[in-house]
């Protein structure tokens, strides 16, 4: 997408890099962020009790205090 | 005055026996406490001394008759349930159907965090030790406050206050503070209504279980301000403010701010510094409304007609506290008081601008962030069992399973202490209160301590017919400064008692 948009303005090399840089930056950061979220969710997937429905049903406490 | 004050917490843990949903929670709780006691308490086990307990004494000045009291309110009768005092000065016992840990008395918010976190580790060890009992029960403990099916169990705070402060002042100035402080010390909850019948997330575990403004009960018709008045100290001079409205926090910063800000507000009440009337029109309904809006936009109507959000109401208290500390302490303000003020301000500021930026500090935000990530990745509705599971499992005390612990391990939650600090506090008492005397006696003279409680240590000495009761009615006596050398010097309990009664 970014490549196509840049086509008509091939004239200034400098302009091109300044235009592209932030976009790549944001994309990279977003990707890093997504990876980050995926990493923590993967880790938590590994430790979550397996049958959520059964677990929730059987988690019954008596009142206290 | 500052954030320094005699205080502590008492937390009841959720309990389940894996694979045995019908297990009796009282039996399981006793197994947990007894397993820890057997493994750690040397020689004889000191009994809890109930002499000074009076749970039916009301701060407003009358006693509730035992006939009209609900049986669940009677805690002073030794029902034969497990009950042990630890060398760190804490009490580990069974309360109703939960194992409970009361911290020793400490004098600073950071020490509350230290001995409260030590309690989590005690519970973790206790459950692991219980697994070695006959039948190998696999008991899991949760530092939370509700099963989302109608039951709630407490995480109480205690603050020693001057008896001379009128109770009406406490009620007037503390109620709006308690209605709103959940914005930073809520533990977060999936489900609304006591039995979770409505979908959605809310800030507090406990808000939906509070039904009245002021009262003595803790198990039914729970009040925002509890009037139980057992000072465990000279009743002429002190009252113990028993706070039942808080959530059990895993986050060290949440606990630190919870007790630090409360201690500051109590200091302002005692010194009659609060001139503004921040009274809220409908405290119980407001408490719930604030909890039910994690976007923090919900407003509360004050008696003077103003409408403020929970965060804005907290900012009123922060503003007063800053002026108070400046006015009374100025350049002499201690480090922790200034730290509590700075963190309180930073957290309120972030809650106004970008609450999710506190996902590495506050329980309810950390939990919400995780839930939202799951919702967005897996397309889950709020009634999905997986989200409920995440809520419960956030508070699982096991480091390998508890989601709070996984987040800490991944560097996603800030801490105030390190593991070594917390581990030390599992066995060592705080040094500034009578808990030091209690803890050291249990550590050094275990074979001759017959019983102990907040306000006494009772010795059973060889050659003496009767038990020797050493009262510890002043929470600030029996500190290391008072008795450290004496205990170091006395090799036996006889020598200690002789020196104390000379």
């Amino acid at each position: 997408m970014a490549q196509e948009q840049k086509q008509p303005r091939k004239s200034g090399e400098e302009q091109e890099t300044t235009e592209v840089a932030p976009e790549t930056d944001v994309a990279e950061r977003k990707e890093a962020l997504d990876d980050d979220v995926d990493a923590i969710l993967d880790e938590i997937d590994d430790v979550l009790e397996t049958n959520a429905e059964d677990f929730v049903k059987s988690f019954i406490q008596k009142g206290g205090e | 005055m500052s954030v320094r004050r005699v205080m502590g917490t008492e937390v009841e843990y959720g309990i389940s026996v894996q694979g045995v949903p019908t297990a009796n929670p009282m039996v399981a709780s006793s197994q947990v406490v007894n397993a820890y006691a057997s493994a750690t308490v040397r020689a004889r086990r000191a009994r809890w001394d109930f002499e000074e307990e009076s749970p039916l004494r009301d701060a407003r000045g009358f006693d509730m008759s035992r006939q009209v009291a609900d049986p669940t309110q009677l805690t002073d009768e030794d029902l034969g349930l497990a009950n042990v005092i630890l060398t760190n000065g804490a009490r580990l016992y069974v309360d109703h159907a939960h194992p409970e840990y009361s911290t020793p008395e400490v004098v600073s918010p950071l020490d509350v965090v230290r001995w409260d976190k030590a309690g989590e580790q005690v519970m973790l060890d206790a459950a692991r030790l219980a697994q070695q009992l006959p039948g190998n029960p696999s008991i899991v403990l949760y530092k939370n406050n509700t099963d989302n099916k109608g039951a709630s169990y407490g995480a109480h705070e205690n603050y020693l206050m001057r008896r001379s402060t009128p109770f009406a002042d406490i009620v007037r100035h503390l109620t709006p503070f308690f209605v709103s402080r959940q914005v930073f010390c809520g533990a977060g909850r999936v489900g609304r209504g006591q039995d979770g019948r409505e979908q959605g997330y809310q800030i507090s575990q406990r808000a939906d279980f509070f039904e009245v403004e002021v009262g003595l009960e803790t198990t039914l018709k729970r009040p925002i301000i509890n009037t139980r008045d057992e000072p465990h100290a000279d009743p002429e001079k002190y009252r113990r403010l028993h706070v039942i409205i808080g959530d059990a926090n895993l986050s060290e910063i949440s606990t630190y701010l919870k007790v630090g800000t409360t201690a500051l507000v109590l200091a302002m009440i005692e010194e009659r510094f609060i001139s503004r009337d921040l009274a809220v029109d409908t405290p119980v309904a407001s408490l719930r409304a604030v909890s039910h809006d994690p976007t923090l936009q919900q407003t509360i109507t004050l008696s003077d007609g103003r409408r403020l959000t929970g965060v804005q109401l907290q900012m009123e208290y922060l503003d007063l506290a800053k002026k108070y500390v400046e006015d009374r302490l100025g350049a002499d303000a201690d480090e922790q008081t200034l730290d509590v003020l700075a963190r309180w301000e930073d957290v309120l500021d972030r809650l106004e601008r970008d609450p999710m930026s506190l996902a590495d500090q506050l329980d309810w935000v950390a939990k919400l962030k995780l839930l939202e990530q799951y919702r967005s990745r897996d397309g889950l509705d709020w009634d999905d069992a997986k989200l409920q599971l995440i809520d419960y499992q956030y508070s699982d005390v096991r480091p390998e399973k508890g989601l709070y612990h996984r987040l800490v391990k991944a560097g996603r939650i800030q801490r105030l202490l390190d593991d070594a600090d917390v581990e030390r506090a599992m066995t060592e008492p705080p040094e500034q209160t009578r808990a030091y005397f209690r803890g050291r006696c249990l550590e050094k003279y275990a074979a001759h301590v017959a019983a102990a409680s907040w306000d006494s240590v009772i010795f059973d000495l060889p050659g003496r017919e009767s038990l020797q009761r050493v009262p510890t009615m002043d929470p600030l006596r029996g500190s290391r400064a008072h008795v450290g050398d004496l205990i170091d010097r006395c090799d036996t309990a006889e020598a200690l008692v002789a020196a104390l009664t000379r």
Side-chain angles (χ1 to χ4, degrees):
Chain A
M1 224 25 203
Q3 285 292 11
E4 276 171 24
Q5 279 174 340
K6 270 177 280 150
Q7 292 298 354
R9 309 188 50 171
K10 252 218 146 101
S11 49
E13 192 68 32
E14 210 185 326
Q15 196 173 3
E16 193 178 302
T17 44
T18 47
E19 233 173 64
V20 173
E23 268 180 43
T24 318
D25 227 30
V26 168
E28 265 172 16
R29 251 185 295 144
K30 177 149 179 12
E31 211 168 280
L33 219 61
D34 288 346
D35 282 351
D36 209 33
V37 170
D38 289 345
I40 193 69
L41 293 198
D42 283 349
E43 195 194 316
I44 288 188
D45 283 340
D46 287 345
V47 301
L48 270 186
E49 303 289 348
T50 41
N51 191 330
E53 205 116 341
D54 282 357
F55 186 92
V56 169
K57 244 182 247 157
S58 65
F59 191 85
I60 298 169
Q61 300 291 313
K62 289 244 193 302
E65 310 176 69
Chain B
M1 284 290 281
S2 61
V3 291
R4 296 178 71 79
R5 166 180 304 275
V6 175
M7 51 195 174
T9 62
E10 32 177 319
V11 180
E12 296 173 350
Y13 285 69
I15 184 166
S16 67
V17 184
Q18 286 187 309
V20 195
T22 54
N24 181 329
M26 279 194 188
V27 172
S29 298
S30 295
Q31 287 176 321
V32 166
V33 173
N34 282 325
Y36 192 80
S38 306
T40 60
V41 178
R42 284 172 300 154
R44 84 191 275 168
R45 281 175 59 185
R47 286 182 61 256
W48 185 259
D49 172 25
F50 282 105
E51 188 166 309
E52 300 288 344
E53 302 239 337
S54 47
L56 302 182
R57 167 113 22 218
D58 192 297
R60 292 170 295 191
F62 50 85
D63 276 6
M64 192 185 227
S65 131
R66 271 187 188 267
Q67 274 87 20
V68 304
D70 188 277
T72 57
Q73 279 186 269
L74 303 177
T75 61
D76 60 342
E77 284 168 55
D78 194 342
L79 301 167
L81 292 174
N83 198 338
V84 62
I85 307 127
L86 309 180
T87 58
N88 67 356
R91 179 187 182 196
L92 177 66
Y93 57 116
V94 178
D95 198 3
H96 305 300
H98 301 272
E100 175 160 350
Y101 169 93
S102 296
T103 66
E105 308 88 325
V106 300
V107 295
S108 78
L110 191 59
D111 277 353
V112 173
V113 179
R114 196 186 312 271
W115 273 277
D116 182 271
K117 293 304 276 189
E120 291 175 29
Q121 295 306 303
V122 165
M123 288 291 181
L124 171 67
D125 278 7
R128 283 176 176 165
L129 288 161
Q131 196 145 25
Q132 296 161 16
L133 293 172
N136 309 108
S138 182
I139 298 171
V140 184
L141 301 176
Y142 298 84
K143 197 186 187 192
N144 66 359
N145 302 105
T146 179
D147 60 3
N148 203 40
K149 298 177 182 70
S152 184
Y153 30 105
H156 301 172
E157 301 141 64
N158 295 294
Y159 302 89
L160 198 70
M161 294 191 72
R162 290 180 204 159
R163 172 67 62 188
S164 56
T165 302
F167 199 71
D169 286 2
I170 299 175
V171 172
R172 180 162 70 239
H173 298 305
L174 207 51
T175 302
F177 178 74
F178 280 172
V179 165
S180 53
R181 73 172 185 169
Q182 55 178 315
V183 297
F184 54 81
C185 60
R189 176 180 170 199
V190 173
R192 293 178 185 174
Q194 296 193 355
D195 57 4
R197 68 180 59 195
E198 291 163 54
Q199 285 187 38
Y201 189 72
Q202 62 173 314
I203 291 170
S204 159
Q205 290 256 308
R206 295 269 286 165
D208 288 349
F209 294 91
F210 283 76
E211 294 170 314
V212 299
E213 292 171 31
V214 184
L216 183 58
E217 282 86 4
T218 58
T219 52
L220 38 115
K221 286 191 296 176
R222 291 185 186 85
I224 293 173
I225 305 281
N226 184 242
T227 55
R228 185 187 291 180
D229 189 2
E230 295 172 87
H232 298 306
D234 180 353
E236 301 286 317
K237 276 174 29 194
Y238 301 111
R239 76 167 77 250
R240 171 177 61 124
L241 184 70
H242 184 237
V243 174
I244 69 167
I245 200 174
D247 287 2
N249 288 115
L250 276 300
S251 153
E252 295 176 356
I253 293 175
S254 290
T255 301
Y256 180 72
L257 283 174
K258 176 170 66 185
V259 295
T261 59
T262 302
L264 271 174
V265 171
L266 295 181
M268 292 196 287
I269 293 171
E270 281 181 335
E271 297 195 17
R272 298 172 186 261
F273 188 82
I274 303 180
S275 47
R276 298 173 210 178
D277 185 10
L278 298 171
V280 168
D281 260 355
T282 51
V284 174
S286 299
L287 173 75
R288 295 182 190 186
V290 169
S291 183
H292 290 190
D293 178 24
T295 69
L296 302 169
Q297 300 307 302
Q298 175 69 46
T299 55
I300 302 168
T301 306
L302 271 56
S303 304
D304 65 8
R306 282 190 296 165
R307 297 183 64 85
L308 301 181
T309 66
V311 176
Q312 287 164 346
L313 185 48
Q314 278 294 308
M315 284 174 164
E316 296 274 333
Y317 280 96
L318 168 69
D319 182 50
L320 282 164
K322 282 164 69 179
K323 290 187 170 126
Y324 168 74
V325 170
E326 177 59 34
D327 183 65
R328 302 295 158 96
L329 298 170
D332 296 331
D334 64 286
E335 211 178 302
Q336 235 178 90
T337 299
L338 295 175
D339 186 54
V340 166
L341 281 178
R343 286 180 182 272
W344 190 7
E345 180 158 29
D346 177 62
V347 160
L348 292 182
D349 185 49
R350 285 170 182 270
L351 287 170
E352 278 278 275
R353 286 185 294 110
D354 178 16
M356 293 318 279
S357 71
L358 291 161
D360 63 346
Q361 295 197 48
L362 306 182
D363 282 320
W364 78 264
V365 187
K367 193 185 280 181
L368 177 58
K369 183 175 175 185
L370 193 56
L371 291 163
E372 288 292 5
Q373 285 169 342
Y374 267 93
R375 275 162 52 76
S376 113
R377 189 191 72 177
D378 301 347
L380 306 177
D381 282 331
W382 277 113
D383 63 349
D384 196 287
K386 196 165 187 175
L387 299 181
Q388 189 67 58
L389 169 65
I390 289 168
D391 184 356
Y392 297 144
Q393 210 177 323
Y394 180 86
S395 66
D396 186 328
V397 300
R398 296 171 299 176
E400 69 278 13
K401 293 293 266 186
L403 304 186
Y404 164 79
H405 292 286
R406 302 315 304 169
L407 292 171
V408 168
K409 189 104 194 297
R412 286 157 196 268
I413 297 206
Q414 295 181 36
R415 296 187 61 182
L416 301 171
L417 303 166
D418 60 32
D419 289 344
D421 286 332
V422 175
E423 196 169 327
R424 256 195 315 279
M426 290 172 70
T427 52
E428 292 179 16
E431 296 184 349
Q432 295 91 346
T433 67
R434 62 188 173 195
Y436 180 82
F437 178 73
R438 182 187 315 127
R440 286 291 313 273
C441 284
L442 283 158
E443 175 250 332
K444 194 161 177 178
Y445 317 111
H448 298 291
V449 178
S453 68
W454 305 119
D455 32 40
S456 71
V457 175
I458 297 177
F459 293 92
D460 184 1
L461 302 176
R464 296 258 203 141
E465 287 265 311
S466 56
L467 298 175
Q468 307 294 307
R469 187 170 196 271
V470 177
T472 54
M473 282 302 275
D474 186 340
L476 291 171
R477 293 193 64 83
S479 66
R480 183 174 182 181
H482 287 124
V483 299
D485 286 346
L486 181 70
I487 294 174
D488 287 344
R489 218 168 47 233
C490 295
D491 290 332
T492 64
E494 291 104 300
L496 179 78
V497 173
L500 286 169
T501 51
R502 196 168 43 218

